[in-house]
Amino acid sequence: FARSHMEDTSARELRLGQRFTFQQDNDPKHKAKSTMEWFKNKHINVLEWPSQSPDLNPIENLWKDLKTAVHKRSPSNVTELELFCKEEWAKMSVSTCANLVESYPRRLAAVIAAKGGSTKY
């Protein structure tokens, strides 16, 4: 519920009205009856998304890269963890982000060819 409430607040702040479709993965808590009823009551269109489908959101690749880089630095406490996350995030290049976005058509074609199954991405 807390996450759904945040999305509702974000949609309002962006003044999207009802002109958007919400996408989420099929994690059981995201598909819970109470969550789906909340979306229905708020008249929020939720994109049908197959479970275990590849995640096509480029940010997921950046999160993986960030996690790997921070793990290599072996933070020993929360303060170091926060510092290392900020430092490693700042090192991410614009070209890395651009390349991920530019790869989207290839990723999408691969998922379609695999009929929603796994791909090299």
Side-chain angles (χ1 to χ4, degrees):
F1 172 77
R3 178 179 175 186
S4 297
H5 177 70
M6 291 187 314
E7 276 98 12
D8 183 46
T9 301
S10 298
R12 265 196 320 264
E13 288 172 1
L14 292 170
R15 297 185 179 111
L16 294 176
Q18 297 298 316
R19 299 176 297 134
F20 70 95
T21 298
F22 185 77
Q23 179 188 359
Q24 63 182 355
D25 62 28
N26 278 319
D27 186 294
K29 67 181 168 280
H30 300 158
K31 297 294 282 187
K33 187 175 181 179
S34 60
T35 302
M36 298 311 289
E37 285 178 5
W38 185 89
F39 282 120
K40 184 178 178 182
N41 292 337
K42 296 288 186 174
H43 307 288
I44 296 173
N45 186 30
V46 179
L47 180 68
E48 290 294 324
W49 199 252
S51 60
Q52 304 301 316
S53 64
D55 195 330
L56 294 173
N57 187 345
I59 193 70
E60 297 301 332
N61 296 90
L62 293 176
W63 291 141
K64 179 181 67 82
D65 292 348
L66 177 65
K67 183 177 177 180
T68 299
V70 170
H71 179 73
K72 286 180 182 175
R73 295 180 65 180
S74 301
S76 60
N77 57 50
V78 173
T79 303
E80 281 187 358
L81 176 62
E82 180 180 5
L83 176 66
F84 295 169
C85 285
K86 288 178 179 178
E87 290 175 352
E88 294 301 327
W89 186 256
K91 292 178 188 176
M92 300 240 181
S93 71
V94 172
S95 64
T96 297
C97 297
N99 289 338
L100 284 170
V101 171
E102 288 170 11
S103 73
Y104 191 83
R106 291 188 305 277
R107 291 166 181 266
L108 186 54
V111 170
I112 291 169
K115 297 183 179 173
S118 62
T119 69
K120 70 177 185 175
Y121 298 107

